[in-house]
Amino acid sequence: DAKTTQPNSMESNEEEPVHLPCNHSTISGTDYIHWYRQLPSQGPEYVIHGLTSNVNNRMASLAIAEDRKSSTLILHRATLRDAAVYYCILRDSSGAGSYQLTFGKGTKLSVIP
Amino acid sequence: DAGVTQSPTHLIKTRGQQVTLRCSPKSGHDTVSWYQQALGQGPQFIFQYYEEEERQRGNFPDRFSGHQFPNYSSELNVNALLLGDSALYLCASSTGLGSYNEQFFGPGTRLTVL
């Protein structure tokens, strides 16, 4: 799986928007961009995924650069419950790739009340 | 609708012992993956089971083995435990083998090897 690069940590004030960046300069045309997050003392949970177009769901928005070499996870209004480690993961959808999620160290998001 | 469940929650073993961890997938899911998460690191893929067969394996030694039962539940076995096996073991379930299918994770089993 292609490699992603994320900042080690970020801080945000409660009720403000948060932009979590991810660089993936070696992304291939069949790689989907997935985001998972892991709250303290819990297993990871799916947040959102996309291929080329920006995506929105009830949890977050995913903005994908036109050249697909970077993406940004947007939490529109951070709450204390959003404090977690956020992982940006590339997954090959061609059928030739592997099925597992390849996690890096992720970005630890702290939310300040 | 119960999500992914794992047992036990915590486990303490000594070096050289063997351990079995258990996982029940989310209702409707037929694929189970296991991950190891050391402190301060992201989860690392161990293996994945589908139709009672190991379909893919990560970079883990043969001391790590598994099984999937006809009801889709799964076990992870680790033999000859080492201190370095101390970690959070996560089970994730999904449907089919599609690489883009969302995986649902359980809360994990915390294994401590003394």
Side-chain angles (χ1 to χ4, degrees), chain B residues 3-7 22-26 32 71-74 91 93:
Chain B
V4 179
T5 60
Q6 294 186 243
S7 62
R22 295 176 176 82
C23 171
S24 290
K26 181 178 169 64
V32 173
N71 67 352
Y72 308 121
S73 67
S74 177
C91 170
S93 72

Side-chain angles (χ1 to χ4, degrees), chain A residues 86-107:
Chain A
Y86 286 79
Y87 298 99
C88 171
I89 299 167
L90 301 183
R91 301 189 76 188
D92 180 12
S93 64
S94 68
S98 58
Y99 305 130
Q100 76 260 30
L101 295 170
T102 301
F103 291 84
K105 290 193 174 182
T107 297

Side-chain angles (χ1 to χ4, degrees), chain A residues 32 34 36 38 41-46 49 87 91-95 97-105, chain B residues 35 37 40-45 48 55-56 58 88 90 97-108:
Chain A
Y32 275 78
H34 286 244
Y36 280 72
Q38 187 170 20
S41 302
Q42 294 188 27
E45 65 174 347
Y46 167 84
H49 78 277
Y87 298 99
R91 301 189 76 188
D92 180 12
S93 64
S94 68
S98 58
Y99 305 130
Q100 76 260 30
L101 295 170
T102 301
F103 291 84
K105 290 193 174 182
Chain B
Y35 293 79
Q37 186 173 25
Q41 305 294 317
Q44 300 299 306
F45 175 75
Q48 183 181 65
R55 298 293 178 152
Q56 284 201 335
L88 181 68
L90 295 161
L97 287 176
S99 62
Y100 43 82
N101 289 349
E102 179 184 345
Q103 294 197 7
F104 289 78
F105 285 80

Side-chain angles (χ1 to χ4, degrees), chain B residues 9 19 23 29 31 39 69 87:
Chain B
T9 306
V19 68
C23 171
H29 286 185
T31 304
L39 206 59
F69 299 94

